[in-house]
Amino acid sequence: MTVTCYGERCEEAVEAAEHEIRRLDDLLSVGNADSEVSAVNRDGTGTLSEDTAEMVAEALSLYDTTGGAFDITVYPLMELWGFTTGDFAVPDAAALADVLANSGSDKVTLDGDAVTLSEGQGIDLGGIAKGFTSARLMEIFKEYDLVSVQCYGTKPDGSLWRCGIQDPNHPDSDSYLGVLSLADKAVITSGAYERYFVDETTGETYHHILDPKTGYPANNGLLSVSVVSANGMLADGLSTACYVMGLEQSIDYWRTYGSDFDLILMDE
Ligand code: ADP
Ligand code: MG
């Protein structure tokens, strides 16, 4: 995460932000064996801190509203594809079927702060954690008399923020799909161009947003989904979910639930 603040107490604010990012990372990271999420994945059950419980609750609710497109029980699938280790491989069909048989957030129970997974399950909050964290930073920044933070309030001169949406076909260049003018909103984009690997024998590309129904990377013609919302956690969860749902289903979702977010979808 990159944080830029403007105002008298901006240095203190940035330090507080960094501290909070690291604190949340220590709770959530599946790459850290000592994290709260790792403990749950090891033990199959656990008592969550308030923050983690809030994210799991939101994730379970997104699982329901998106018809299973957003599913934090993708963790064993992420492992199988090697996204957790960098040891990438296309899984064999039998191994994939085994993992799929156990997965599904409908088999996760959350009772207050107590979470229980079912046999063979693991959770990964990677699809929602950054949005939760950015929303938290906005709360922290309110305490520091800041003039401005990226996309918090308006720019120091009172004008709107301009936020470029990366062109998924040219992710390393400065070309944009377009530029949004915003105040007090989070913009979160999911695309296949951030984390992926190329299978050396076939030349096929496999990316890190998995369709929980097939166990394979989502492949429905969408190249990028950006969600604009005052609710950062929602924006993050939905960017991942819509990427899985595809163009038509995402538009339907927006028609049903879209009172507090907007979507920018780019297909092939
Ligand atoms: P990024 O990690 O690039 O910011 P996303 O917010 O879209 O992108 O999250 C992708 C991450 O979400 C993956 O790295 C993985 O941890 C997790 N994930 C992958 N597929 C799903 C899914 N169908 N539902 C929920 N989380 C997912
Ligand atoms: Mg996301």
Side-chain angles (χ1 to χ4, degrees):
M1 299 185 80
T2 308
V3 177
T4 313
C5 299
Y6 304 82
E8 290 255 319
R9 297 174 67 201
C10 60
E11 272 180 48
E12 269 175 273
V14 167
E15 264 171 44
E18 181 177 347
H19 184 265
E20 183 64 2
I21 292 166
R22 293 195 190 284
R23 192 186 69 80
L24 290 170
D25 191 59
D26 286 344
L27 289 180
L28 304 173
S29 174
V30 288
N32 168 1
D34 296 326
S35 75
E36 200 171 281
V37 169
S38 291
V40 168
N41 287 344
R42 200 168 45 238
D43 303 340
T45 183
T47 305
L48 303 177
S49 63
E50 204 180 326
D51 290 326
T52 312
E54 187 182 339
M55 272 175 266
V56 170
E58 175 74 14
L60 296 182
S61 134
L62 277 171
Y63 178 84
D64 289 337
T65 61
T66 64
F70 192 84
D71 187 354
I72 52 173
T73 68
V74 292
Y75 184 59
L77 288 172
M78 296 297 287
E79 281 186 303
L80 202 56
W81 283 91
F83 282 111
T84 52
T85 55
D87 225 346
F88 302 116
V90 179
D92 74 65
L96 198 67
D98 275 351
V99 169
L100 283 175
N102 292 329
S103 69
S105 294
D106 50 339
K107 296 177 208 151
V108 174
T109 46
L110 180 69
D111 183 6
D113 57 4
V115 71
T116 306
L117 312 181
S118 77
E119 188 62 31
Q121 288 193 320
I123 57 171
D124 177 353
L125 296 171
I128 201 171
K130 271 171 278 184
F132 179 89
T133 305
S134 34
R136 172 59 54 79
L137 297 191
M138 294 305 134
E139 284 170 31
I140 290 176
F141 292 148
K142 284 184 188 143
E143 296 163 21
Y144 284 89
D145 311 322
L146 297 185
V147 192
S148 191
V149 187
Q150 271 178 23
C151 282
Y152 163 65
T154 52
K155 280 203 277 189
D157 67 3
S159 60
L160 295 176
W161 286 106
R162 291 169 57 77
C163 174
I165 309 277
Q166 209 153 41
D167 178 351
N169 288 321
H170 302 100
D172 299 323
S173 80
D174 285 337
S175 74
Y176 295 112
L177 288 187
V179 178
L180 301 172
S181 295
L182 301 159
D184 289 317
K185 290 273 163 81
V187 183
I188 300 206
T189 300
S190 285
Y193 51 85
E194 282 176 43
R195 279 172 67 198
Y196 62 88
F197 71 96
V198 179
D199 185 86
E200 278 170 15
T201 46
T202 61
E204 282 285 328
T205 299
Y206 297 96
H207 64 78
H208 74 309
I209 301 175
L210 303 179
D211 181 341
K213 298 221 162 62
T214 62
Y216 263 68
N219 182 11
N220 50 42
L222 270 190
L223 295 181
S224 137
V225 176
S226 299
V227 184
V228 183
S229 175
N231 178 343
M233 172 164 60
L234 178 76
D236 194 4
L238 279 183
S239 71
T240 308
C242 289
Y243 198 84
V244 172
M245 289 194 285
L247 185 69
E248 301 297 327
Q249 218 187 313
S250 294
I251 293 171
D252 286 346
Y253 188 91
W254 179 80
R255 288 194 205 287
T256 311
Y257 296 103
S259 57
D260 54 357
F261 67 89
D262 286 296
L263 295 175
I264 295 150
L265 305 160
M266 182 182 177
D267 64 7
E268 278 163 354

